[in-house]
Amino acid sequence: MGKKMKIIPVLLIGCGGVGRQLLHHIVSCRSLHAKQGVHLRVIGVCDSRSLVVASDALTTELNDKILMEICHVKSSGGSLSNLSNLGESKLFSDTEATKKVIDIATLLGKATGLACVDCSASSDTVNVLKQVVDLGCCIVLANKKPLTSTIEDYNKLTPHPRRIRHESTVGAGLPVIASLTRMLSSGDPVHHIVGSLSGTLGYIMSEVEEGKPLSQVVKVAKSLGYTEPDPRDDLSGMDVARKALILARLLGQQINLGDIKVESLFPKEMGPDVMPIDDFLNKGVLSLDNDIKERVTKASSKGNVLRYACTVEFSSSRCEVGLQEFPKDSPLGRLKGSDNVLVVYSRCYNERPLVIQGAGAGNDTTAAGVLADILDLQDLF
């Protein structure tokens, strides 16, 4: 008797860079997954405006040809409504799409189960995800915003830890969440975490350390595609703060984003709502050069380097992100380029902490982490 194929129905929210890369991974891994006895049945894909769904969510799927056409249309800047060869698949828009997602979750939650995967960057998905969880479905997140919404939202998303996976919300594909979860479930209390969790800010700080002006480094990083379209989204530290909040909540801290002390690398008067981006890049960021240079020099005189880091301490409920000094021979001090590193102190890892380091950014790495998370849920199907 051949081994029965395990089928995981997948509904994807968001087909930007990470979502498209996930679809590519799913298609390219078909033969590998078949050998492992598992099949990912993609029943629907939605962007911010539309939902494409298989003709029968219980039995059919969007075939690989449609999935690749979705990737092509979206990478060309189009919408799902521009798809031409839908076959028997159906297209829903706006409020219809949200209602259809809930209908599918209601149907499959009772029947086969469903993995609802959020690869968007939207804060609007949290209400849909809460309903999906209530209906008994699993959720897999690369999107940080649902997990960094209010603590009430967080607790509604995470009542069944086995049914949620979110490795790619912190450190792209690095095994950060899995490592911490294993330690906590084995009774090894984590008491202190420190890390550099922004590849962008890691790159910027290691370049500034080489003597280059901050303004020049920011412009180069933007031209290389390392930063968000507006680099202030990175320089504000809010992305790192969201990652720190996810870690703090994982350790049991019932805190909100507003409770985290965040050091922005630019003053409020240079914020996106006050200063246009061109003014910031041409004038504003130049005025920040001297201060950063002085702080780098001061750190260097003590044998230290400057890093943009997050610190989470369980005993004191301390959670903060900002520039910190580290010895040159420490894990954060040795960090170069856009790598992420997380240093974890616990009862077992006390004198010699657990260090997790590697590429912490990139659509490919992040999507691979999402795919691994989906497969990690297969025992539930």
Side-chain angles (χ1 to χ4, degrees), residues 323-375:
L323 288 173
Q324 291 183 48
E325 290 185 20
F326 294 94
K328 283 181 181 173
D329 62 348
S330 66
L332 273 90
R334 291 191 295 268
L335 200 62
K336 294 289 179 198
S338 60
D339 270 12
N340 279 195
V341 65
L342 194 75
V343 184
V344 184
Y345 296 86
S346 68
R347 188 189 68 234
C348 295
Y349 295 95
N350 194 14
E351 297 299 316
R352 301 184 65 199
L354 174 67
V355 179
I356 304 165
Q357 181 175 347
N363 293 338
D364 192 5
T365 320
T366 306
V370 174
L371 181 55
D373 272 353
I374 297 169
L375 293 166

Side-chain angles (χ1 to χ4, degrees), residues 294-306 325 328:
E294 281 174 19
R295 290 177 73 172
V296 168
T297 305
K298 185 181 172 187
S300 183
S301 69
K302 295 182 266 183
N304 293 339
V305 292
L306 210 56
E325 290 185 20
K328 283 181 181 173

Side-chain angles (χ1 to χ4, degrees), residues 117-129:
V117 182
D118 185 357
C119 288
S120 74
S122 170
S123 49
D124 298 335
T125 59
V126 67
N127 288 324
V128 171
L129 292 172

Side-chain angles (χ1 to χ4, degrees), residues 27 47 53 62 106 131 150 154 174 177 212 219 250 361:
V27 171
D47 61 13
V53 68
L62 299 176
T106 305
Q131 292 179 71
T150 64
Y154 178 85
L174 292 176
I177 306 297
K212 296 170 188 169
K219 286 174 189 170
L250 191 65

